[in-house]
Amino acid sequence: MRGVSVARAALLAGCLALFVAAAARIPAELDLMAQTGRDPALVYLRVDAAPLVFAPAPSVRAQRAQMADCDDLMVSVFAQLRRGAPAEKVAAACLARAEAILQTSPSSSAAHLVRAGAFRTLGQPQDMVDSLLLSHRLARHEGWLAARRLRLAFAAGEVSALTALRQALGADVAVVLSSEAYLPQLVQMYRRNVDQRQWITDIVGAADQADQRRFLKGLRKAAAEANNNAEAGS
C-alpha cells in the first residue's frame, strides 16, 4: 500500500508541475495572440517609425496566427498603396519571422507561404514560386492554405504559365472547391480574374456534381449580391 501511495504522490506531483508550466505560458501566449490581426493601415503608416516586430511564438497555433497575419498584411490594399520602402519593411519583417519558424518547424507550410509573399514584394519571383511550391507540397489538402496560395498567385500574376506551379495551383482550386468554408473565396477569384475563368471552369468541370452545383450556386449568389449593391448605390 505504501508503494501505491508513493506512486500516486509522484503522479500528482508530475501533473502539478505540468499544470504550473502550462499556466506560466498562458500570459505570453495571450500577449502574442494580441499582436495578430493588426490594422494593416496602421502597420503601413507607422512602419517607418515603429518597425513591425513579432515575438517568438510558443505554440504551433500562435505561429500559424502570425503567418496568417503576415499573409494578410502583404496582400492588403495598403501593401500596394505603400509600395516601396514601407511595403519592403513589412515583407522583410515577415520573412525574418517565417525563417525563424522554419528553423524549428521546417515543414510549416504557412511559413513557406509567407516567404513566398515576402519574396514577391522584395522582387524575387523565382524564390516566390519555389516557396509556393514548397507550401503546396507540405499541405496539399488544407483548405485555408490552398485559398491563400491562390490569392497570392492571382495577385502576383503567376497563374498563366504551364508550369509545375500551375499544376499545384490547379490542385489547390480543387481543394478549395470542395470546401464549404473557402468556396466563396474561389467564387470571388473567378469573378475578378476574367482571363483565368476558363482554367477554373475546366477544373470545376472535372469535379463531382455536388461540387459543381455548389460552385454555380455560389456564382449566382455573388452575382445577385453585386446587382443588389449596384442598385442600392444608384
Side-chain angles (χ1 to χ4, degrees):
M1 291 296 294
R2 182 179 179 182
V4 173
S5 298
V6 170
R8 286 178 177 173
L11 179 60
L12 287 173
C15 291
L16 180 60
L18 288 173
F19 175 79
V20 170
R25 293 177 60 179
I26 289 174
E29 183 84 359
L30 291 175
D31 288 344
L32 184 61
M33 296 304 291
Q35 293 180 16
T36 61
R38 286 175 274 203
D39 184 344
L42 293 180
V43 169
Y44 280 97
L45 287 172
R46 297 175 178 175
V47 69
D48 290 325
L52 184 61
V53 176
F54 293 96
S59 69
V60 172
R61 178 172 175 268
Q63 290 175 358
R64 287 191 175 191
Q66 285 182 332
M67 294 297 91
D69 199 32
C70 266
D71 182 48
D72 289 337
L73 284 170
M74 291 188 291
V75 298
S76 73
V77 65
F78 300 100
Q80 294 299 313
L81 293 174
R82 298 280 285 163
R83 281 181 296 180
E88 290 172 2
K89 288 178 180 179
V90 172
C94 286
L95 177 61
R97 184 66 197 118
E99 291 185 335
I101 289 173
L102 290 170
Q103 289 293 317
T104 56
S105 304
S107 62
S108 171
S109 177
H112 285 294
L113 169 65
V114 167
R115 289 181 82 242
F119 286 137
R120 174 205 174 202
T121 301
L122 298 172
Q124 299 172 236
Q126 188 56 53
D127 289 329
M128 181 195 75
V129 169
D130 292 343
S131 294
L132 269 176
L133 283 170
L134 267 173
S135 176
H136 172 77
R137 290 169 189 160
L138 291 166
R140 296 174 185 266
H141 306 296
E142 291 192 40
W144 74 281
L145 284 167
R148 287 172 179 271
R149 285 191 293 265
L150 288 168
R151 181 175 68 171
L152 174 59
F154 278 119
E158 288 289 339
V159 181
S160 298
L162 294 172
T163 62
L165 178 59
R166 185 177 173 89
Q167 294 177 352
L169 294 172
D172 283 340
V173 169
V175 168
V176 176
L177 176 64
S178 65
S179 169
E180 192 76 37
Y182 303 107
L183 177 62
Q185 295 182 40
L186 180 61
V187 168
Q188 292 304 318
M189 291 176 202
Y190 178 90
R191 289 171 56 83
R192 292 169 184 165
N193 297 275
V194 177
D195 58 336
Q196 296 301 326
R197 285 183 180 175
Q198 187 58 53
W199 175 63
I200 296 175
T201 298
D202 291 342
I203 297 171
V204 173
D208 63 46
Q209 291 187 353
D211 286 343
Q212 292 177 14
R213 285 193 296 269
R214 288 194 307 107
F215 183 72
L216 290 173
K217 181 179 178 181
L219 282 178
R220 287 193 292 268
K221 180 180 178 182
E225 290 174 350
N227 289 335
N228 291 338
N229 291 337
E231 291 174 0
S234 61

